[in-house]
Amino acid sequence: MESIDDIIERVKKDFNVTPKNPKSLDDMNREVYLGDPNCPICHGIGFVTGDYPIDDPRFGKMDVCSCRKAKLEEETRNQLIRESNLSGYADMSFETFNVEGRGQLRPDERLCLKLAFDHAQKFAKERNGWLLLTGNYGTGKTHLAAAISNAALADHIPNIFLPVPDLLDWIRASFSDSSGTYAERFDQIRNIPLLILDDLGTQSATPWAEEKLYQILNYRYVNRLPTVITTNCRLQDLDGRIASRLEDPSLVTRIVIQAPDYRKPMANTVESDDLSALHRLSNRTFENFDSRVGENLSEEASAQLTNAFNLAYNFAQHPTGWLVFSGPNGVGKTHLAAAIGNYRQHQMDHPLFVAVADLLDHLRATFSPVSTTSYDIAFEKIRNAPLLILDHLDTANATPWAKEKLFQILDHRYLTPLPTVITTVLPIQDIDPNIRSRLVDFQVCQIAQMFQVPMYSRNPQVSILPERTRKGYPSRRGK
């Protein structure tokens, strides 16, 4: 039987194969053989067959020889890199993402970055649904998106990673590209197992661009194909058809990254984001809450104070549903609310503690032309906070706009549902009817009434407030 080398030499002579630039026999063999010419298994063919019976489904099928697998894997990886456009983002991985920033992060910002990091890692493993990363410039959105793409690449999952303007240019180029048609390229983008679009909203807003983007995203939305999107824009500033799909919580996980620009460690792009006042109340804990045993409180006042403390402590242990502290100023409502926030922060949660008046001022400030935080991002951060603590809710003199914003926030958290703590000086019946309708759902909300508790005084001998009746109003003497 002729050897493979003899057959190759005979074929060369029969067809008069003479290279213009003579090469060594080893060089020519490397070109002819698919595998390693010295491989004792396939003898250079690159494929092997097993000895299976004729009725075995593997009978007659060829497998890649082990001498060729490494080369094929390298070729496959190089092809995936070329198709995914990741050559400039190879160093952006989860291992190189710095959740600590450059030393300029506050605890709440660090927790926010950690939350985004964890969601991105989870998506990279499961590749299920859509992930939307929003936030200001330099907050790590592109790095996390590229890390997801690189992780998919490591798993041999075909994917495309492109800034949206480049994607549209790539589609336009297909009209004059001899290597493939527009239809083929457009179909490749729509059906790629993982599509990652960076900087949505930075493209030229031409009718053609908007239509192509909508067609791509709508197709992937209908077919539930894994997609990652990053944007600096408010959803309301995007094409309404695309924005409506990005607001679908059944498919899209939206993460708002609130952190300073990593490239400018001394500049805080979230306007010092002192929205959360919890760091100023770090000394308000359950351990130092004054039970006022030495003040000789009435039996009813003591009972209300004890009940409020127990409800707060139990809520801090297991923050589900809503908890409302209703009572006059100076009875410990803010202390208990802050104690819940501080306890949860020590448990690595990310509570947002804010006075209602400050919250509304913060939202109004985003409309300023010099604001670096968009209203949409600020509003989403508030209404989706893992734990929202609203201090001093008072709708008695609130404007219609303020009532509407508060209701939108609370209604969202009621329907989601998300843990919420509220303090108010108003009796529940005096709160705005729309908000009150959510507070009186006792399957969701617990209410700690504190109207029988007198104002706290450092001198227990000084009576600051007149006696309070059950309804919280001064008693009428002389009758």
Side-chain angles (χ1 to χ4, degrees), residues 18-298:
T18 303
K20 294 180 180 178
N21 298 315
K23 302 178 182 178
S24 68
L25 181 61
D26 288 341
D27 289 339
M28 295 178 67
N29 282 340
R30 277 192 289 272
E31 291 181 359
V32 174
Y33 291 111
L34 292 174
D36 181 358
N38 300 316
C39 177
I41 301 174
C42 71
H43 305 289
I45 296 176
F47 294 93
V48 294
T49 58
D51 186 14
Y52 303 112
I54 195 170
D55 58 344
D56 191 292
R58 293 171 292 178
F59 177 80
K61 293 185 177 180
M62 302 186 75
D63 297 319
V64 177
C65 181
S66 59
C67 72
R68 191 171 171 236
K69 280 184 177 178
K71 182 180 179 181
L72 279 180
E73 288 179 357
E74 182 180 358
E75 290 176 352
T76 300
R77 177 175 175 79
N78 291 336
Q79 178 68 16
L80 286 172
I81 291 175
R82 287 193 298 271
E83 292 181 352
S84 64
N85 300 284
L86 267 176
S87 56
Y89 303 88
D91 61 335
M92 292 189 179
S93 64
F94 290 114
E95 291 73 22
T96 60
F97 187 83
N98 185 4
V99 295
E100 300 295 325
R102 290 178 171 170
Q104 82 278 33
L105 298 182
R106 299 194 310 269
D108 60 308
E109 293 168 339
R110 192 175 295 110
L111 286 171
C112 187
L113 271 182
K114 182 65 166 56
L115 177 68
F117 179 86
D118 291 343
H119 274 281
Q121 268 199 326
K122 180 182 178 185
F123 185 93
K125 293 176 182 177
E126 300 176 356
R127 287 186 286 275
N128 183 37
W130 287 20
L131 179 64
L132 174 62
L133 300 173
T134 67
N136 287 319
Y137 299 104
T139 55
K141 304 183 302 298
T142 297
H143 190 133
L144 289 175
I148 292 172
S149 184
N150 280 310
L153 196 66
D155 293 336
H156 305 293
I157 303 298
N159 68 91
I160 292 175
F161 176 99
L162 274 175
V164 173
D166 293 349
L167 177 82
L168 295 171
D169 287 344
W170 194 43
I171 295 174
R172 289 188 191 98
S174 65
F175 289 116
S176 58
D177 189 351
S178 59
S179 64
T181 67
Y182 160 79
E184 289 172 347
R185 184 165 296 178
F186 193 69
D187 190 63
Q188 177 191 6
I189 295 168
R190 291 200 308 174
N191 288 289
I192 194 80
L194 174 60
L195 177 63
I196 302 176
L197 300 181
D198 192 32
D199 279 338
L200 177 65
T202 59
Q203 71 281 355
S204 298
T206 64
W208 181 87
E210 290 185 352
E211 189 61 30
K212 293 302 111 181
L213 273 177
Y214 170 71
Q215 289 174 350
I216 291 169
L217 291 175
N218 185 60
Y219 180 89
R220 298 184 69 83
Y221 175 83
V222 171
N223 292 281
R224 295 303 200 251
L225 296 176
T227 306
V228 177
I229 297 172
T230 77
T231 182
N232 303 310
C233 299
R234 301 180 301 173
L235 292 188
Q236 66 196 64
D237 294 334
L238 301 174
D239 182 330
R241 298 171 299 174
I242 294 175
S244 69
R245 282 147 182 79
L246 296 179
E247 290 176 329
D248 182 357
S250 67
L251 177 68
V252 182
T253 299
R254 183 179 183 188
I255 303 298
V256 179
I257 304 179
Q258 287 282 355
D261 188 339
Y262 186 80
R263 307 177 189 97
K264 303 174 183 177
M266 300 309 294
N268 191 332
T269 59
V270 289
E271 299 178 327
S272 306
D273 195 18
D274 286 333
L275 183 58
S276 181
L278 192 58
H279 61 283
R280 297 197 292 270
L281 300 169
S282 59
N283 63 335
R284 309 289 177 92
T285 67
F286 291 112
E287 290 73 20
N288 62 20
F289 183 77
D290 188 354
S291 61
R292 303 171 68 176
V293 175
E295 293 188 33
N296 196 26
L297 299 178
S298 69

Side-chain angles (χ1 to χ4, degrees), residues 319-322 383-388 412-420:
T320 57
W322 290 16
R383 72 173 192 162
N384 287 305
L387 171 59
L388 178 61
H412 172 80
R413 299 185 67 84
Y414 173 81
L415 296 173
T416 304
L418 289 169
T420 306

